[in-house]
Amino acid sequence: MPFVTDWSPDGKYLLFSATTPKASSDILYVPLDNSAKPVELAHSEFMEAEARFSPDGKWISFTSNESGTPEIYVQAFPSGANKQRVSTSVGMEANWARNKKELFYETRTAGSELWSVPIDLSTGFRQTGPPKELFTVRQFAWAPNNSRFTRAESPDGQRFLYIAPEAGASEMTIHIVQNWEKLLEQRK
């Protein structure tokens, strides 16, 4: 079953993971102009999943177990060229900072940590330093139906929002507030 993970910043492509006969998961993309069929982007006997577009749409990050454990990789889009590993031990759920200067990922192990990889996208993809641990994530980050991407970053990359259950809750409830701007105005 396909699992959509991102769409390109220009709105022209959709990234998704799908199970194939030869691998547990591969990454494909499809143009959204209805003129083409899905195209394999990361395909091997290993698991490739959780693909995300860079802010400029020229690169993707994804998780692969090619090294024997889940790691974060980056490669050019749509060519698939210049594949490189950016995590140093375990990595999952990568997400690009909107300022184009960092790539965040989690270890998702006991004592899960959030990591940051300094990058430069001004002339392609360039890792400008080693990954560094930002903080330990409490073992609360989870989402219904085992969905991924339980974290969102603020535009400046300084704050992080996690999906978490209420204290003592066995199920998660998500509250959606619409028209919140009007509610704020009413409180003034």
Side-chain angles (χ1 to χ4, degrees):
M1 172 183 287
F3 184 79
V4 175
T5 57
D6 205 6
W7 67 26
S8 61
D10 61 9
K12 293 181 179 180
Y13 302 97
L14 195 65
L15 280 175
F16 64 96
S17 298
T19 303
T20 63
K22 293 184 180 180
S24 59
S25 179
D26 287 327
I27 297 169
L28 299 91
Y29 72 92
V30 63
L32 295 177
D33 62 5
N34 295 324
S35 65
K37 294 182 180 182
V39 178
E40 290 180 341
L41 186 59
H43 172 71
S44 72
E45 67 270 22
F46 303 105
M47 175 275 297
E48 291 101 3
E50 303 176 343
R52 300 297 293 244
F53 279 106
S54 62
D56 62 7
K58 296 178 181 178
W59 299 87
I60 65 162
S61 62
F62 62 96
T63 303
S64 174
N65 63 358
E66 180 178 329
S67 70
T69 60
E71 297 279 1
I72 302 300
Y73 291 82
V74 170
Q75 70 183 38
F77 178 82
S79 70
N82 302 318
K83 179 179 164 187
Q84 52 194 291
R85 187 172 80 180
V86 297
S87 58
T88 56
S89 58
V90 174
M92 299 174 76
E93 285 195 37
N95 205 11
W96 302 82
R98 290 185 220 164
N99 66 11
K100 302 178 185 177
K101 295 180 181 180
E102 292 177 281
L103 181 65
F104 301 109
Y105 67 89
E106 288 185 32
T107 57
R108 288 284 171 148
T109 58
S112 182
E113 298 97 13
L114 182 69
W115 289 73
S116 169
V117 178
I119 60 170
D120 179 8
L121 292 176
S122 61
T123 58
F125 175 84
R126 187 169 60 91
Q127 185 173 335
T128 60
K132 61 182 176 184
E133 181 183 342
L134 297 180
F135 55 85
T136 298
V137 179
R138 282 189 13 221
Q139 293 296 54
F140 61 59
W142 59 281
N145 303 322
N146 294 323
S147 64
R148 294 291 189 190
F149 302 110
T150 59
R151 177 190 75 250
E153 295 83 25
S154 63
D156 63 4
Q158 300 301 302
R159 293 179 304 273
F160 301 87
L161 179 67
Y162 279 86
I163 295 175
E166 294 181 39
S170 61
E171 293 183 8
M172 183 171 56
T173 302
I174 297 177
H175 301 276
I176 299 173
V177 179
Q178 297 179 339
N179 301 317
W180 58 270
E181 293 102 341
K182 288 182 181 179
L183 292 173
L184 285 178
E185 288 176 19
Q186 291 173 1
R187 291 184 175 213
K188 291 181 182 179

